[in-house]
């Protein structure tokens, strides 16, 4: 296996792309990626993987795997589950050569038997799906000899015999509807059996990697900058967020009554909306607060504020070191909610409580309908599975809709700006703003509504 760093932002976060068969680093050379370093892996004739040199001192590692790279990543990363945050699988499965769950044997065998320069080009053409995509791909064509690619295919055939299924937890499986390499129906069947969140998109086997990185890899430095700009106005404008924090506290409170916690962990404390609700109940508890943005309000006397990524902090927390873990309106920005739940279970003492509010995939659906962009977050059912697989007993799991109305598109956009919740995860923010100004729908009362879809989760470590 070869790995090359394409972008070095001197970041403490890494995005590692496992490319597909027949690739090298060339097809990825034009990518941009802010907020993290970017590296690409290829050539799976061996699965040698030196984690210490690759992962180094990175605090967060996100993985995007494509095609046969899904299988390769699943094999080499299985021993490093605790180091990987977000895991995105694209147009591949953990069972790469299989008549029902991968590429059918007859198609794979035929490709291997006829591999030459001419058929390689035909493969690339099928992979791209259209002459336009193929023309773009041709500008950064892989530079590997056919003999090497044939050996790589033979190696995959041997992998499929010795270990036909590679077990690894993936957060999202992205499936292109016009994939002419990995049959979409086989992908759906494989990921359904694995209990993985599926996202169906339009396109060929090769995806738009720039779009994937923009949608699914959280740019935490950019997010922190955005919320820092809104710190002064958040308390005034964040009525919905205050409602959500209050509702979360009301749901968790009955389960807190019989607790005398020594230590509490809060992820994404923001302006202290939730903190002020519970801090007075437990004056003798040590409260550790984590947020990417520095604290700008007066802390309770028993609280310590850390300007640090809460996910990374929880991953490093000692086992059985907290009695309560709380987070309101923050987990939607986490790279891996599943990993946070697993780490919380480990960090909680027996009988400990985890209380979280996050948002559903259709949050701010009016914006999503216009811009075509939505939060890459797990569904309610996926959250249920995450909680159960982490070992928690589910005390509460429910959602609601909370709408706020505006008279003009400008007021709506200003609200998003003043709360830091832009909702405009769009490659061209100006285009998105223009679309909203021109097309945002009015309801029968003449107002424009933002509809938030919070999800509340109360869990117990038995």
């Amino acid at each position: 296996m070869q790995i090359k760093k394409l972008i070095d932002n001197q970041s403490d976060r890494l995005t590692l792309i496992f490319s597909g068969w027949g690739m090298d680093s060339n097809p990825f050379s034009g990518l941009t990626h802010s907020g993290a370093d970017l590296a690409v892996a290829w050539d799976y004739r061996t699965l040698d993987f030196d984690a210490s040199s690759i992962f180094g001192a990175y605090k967060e590692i996100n993985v995007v795997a494509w095609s046969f790279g899904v299988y390769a990543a699943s094999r080499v990363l299985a021993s490093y589950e605790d180091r990987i945050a977000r895991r995105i699988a694209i147009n591949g499965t953990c069972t790469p050569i299989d008549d029902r769950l991968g590429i059918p044997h007859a198609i794979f065998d035929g490709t291997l038997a006829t591999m030459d320069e001419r058929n390689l080009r035909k493969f690339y053409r099928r992979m791209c799906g259209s002459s336009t995509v193929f023309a773009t791909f041709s500008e950064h064509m892989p530079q590997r000899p056919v003999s090497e690619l044939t050996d790589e295919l033979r190696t995959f055939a041997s992998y499929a015999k010795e270990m036909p299924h590679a077990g690894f937890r993936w957060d999202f499986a992205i499936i292109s509807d016009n994939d002419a390499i990995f049959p979409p129906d086989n992908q759906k069947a494989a990921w359904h059996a694995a209990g993985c969140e599926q996202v169906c998109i339009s396109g060929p086997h090769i995806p738009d990697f720039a779009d994937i990185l923009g949608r699914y890899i959280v740019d935490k430095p950019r997010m922190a900058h955005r919320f820092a700009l809104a710190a002064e106005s958040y308390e005034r404008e964040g009525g919905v967020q205050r409602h959500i924090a209050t509702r979360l506290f009301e749901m968790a409170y009955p389960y807190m009554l019989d607790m005398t916690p020594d230590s509490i962990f809060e992820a994404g404390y923001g302006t202290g909306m939730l903190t002020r609700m519970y801090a007075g109940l437990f004056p003798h508890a040590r409260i550790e607060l984590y947020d990417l943005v520095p604290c700008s309000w007066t802390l309770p006397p028993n609280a310590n504020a850390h300007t640090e990524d809460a996910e990374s902090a929880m991953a490093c927390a000692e086992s059985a070191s907290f009695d309560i873990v709380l987070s309101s309106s923050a987990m939607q920005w986490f790279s891996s909610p599943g990993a946070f739940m697993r780490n919380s279970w480990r960090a909680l003492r027996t009988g400990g409580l985890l209380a979280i509010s996050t948002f559903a995939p259709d949050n701010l659906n009016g914006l999503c309908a216009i811009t075509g962009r939505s939060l890459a977050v797990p569904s309610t059912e996926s959250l249920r599975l995450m909680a159960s697989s982490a070992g928690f007993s589910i005390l509460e799991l429910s959602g609601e809709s909370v709408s706020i109305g505006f008279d003009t598109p400008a007021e709506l956009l200003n609200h998003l700006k003043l709360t830091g919740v832009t909702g405009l995860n769009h490659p061209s923010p100006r285009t998105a703003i223009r679309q909203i100004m021109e097309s945002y729908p009015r309801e029968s009362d003449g107002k424009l509504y933002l509809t938030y879809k919070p999800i509340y989760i109360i869990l117990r470590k038995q």
Side-chain angles (χ1 to χ4, degrees), residues 141-159:
M141 190 79 78
Q143 301 299 310
R144 296 175 62 190
V146 171
S147 59
E148 187 176 296
L149 302 186
T150 302
D151 288 344
E152 190 175 5
L153 276 181
R154 290 196 184 101
T155 304
F156 267 106
S158 67
Y159 292 156

Side-chain angles (χ1 to χ4, degrees), residues 167-246:
F168 185 73
R169 282 184 293 236
W170 293 92
D171 295 319
F172 294 95
I174 299 174
I175 304 170
S176 294
D177 58 358
N178 290 317
D179 191 334
I181 307 300
F182 263 88
D185 286 345
N186 286 16
Q187 292 185 57
K188 292 174 183 177
W191 293 118
H192 177 75
C196 181
E197 188 96 7
Q198 299 182 32
V199 180
C200 294
I201 63 173
S202 296
H205 181 64
I206 186 170
D208 182 340
F209 280 97
D211 184 66
I212 296 293
L213 294 178
R215 282 176 180 257
Y216 290 91
I217 305 300
V218 181
D219 187 341
K220 290 186 177 178
R222 182 182 178 186
M223 181 184 70
H225 176 69
R226 192 175 71 217
F227 278 107
L229 292 177
E232 292 186 7
S233 54
Y234 187 88
E235 191 73 17
R236 181 181 69 253
E237 296 290 332
V240 172
Q241 288 73 21
R242 184 176 295 103
H243 165 87
I244 293 170
T246 302

Side-chain angles (χ1 to χ4, degrees), residues 420-441:
V421 188
T422 66
L424 305 180
N425 181 20
H426 196 281
S428 175
R430 290 185 178 181
T431 299
I433 289 171
R434 186 177 67 251
Q435 291 170 336
I436 293 168
M437 293 294 290
E438 296 175 352
S439 307
Y440 203 93

Side-chain angles (χ1 to χ4, degrees), residues 324-378:
I324 299 174
V325 175
L326 300 164
S327 181
S328 180
S329 299
M331 198 167 78
Q332 69 275 10
W333 306 118
F334 289 2
S335 294
S336 181
F340 185 79
M341 285 189 185
R342 293 191 296 274
N343 288 326
S344 295
W345 188 92
R346 176 185 50 77
L348 282 167
R349 300 184 178 99
T350 300
L353 195 71
L354 173 61
I356 299 171
S357 68
T358 183
F359 291 95
D362 60 343
N363 187 59
L364 301 179
N365 52 359
L367 283 179
C368 299
I370 291 177
T371 64
R373 311 288 286 195
S374 59
L375 283 175
V377 293

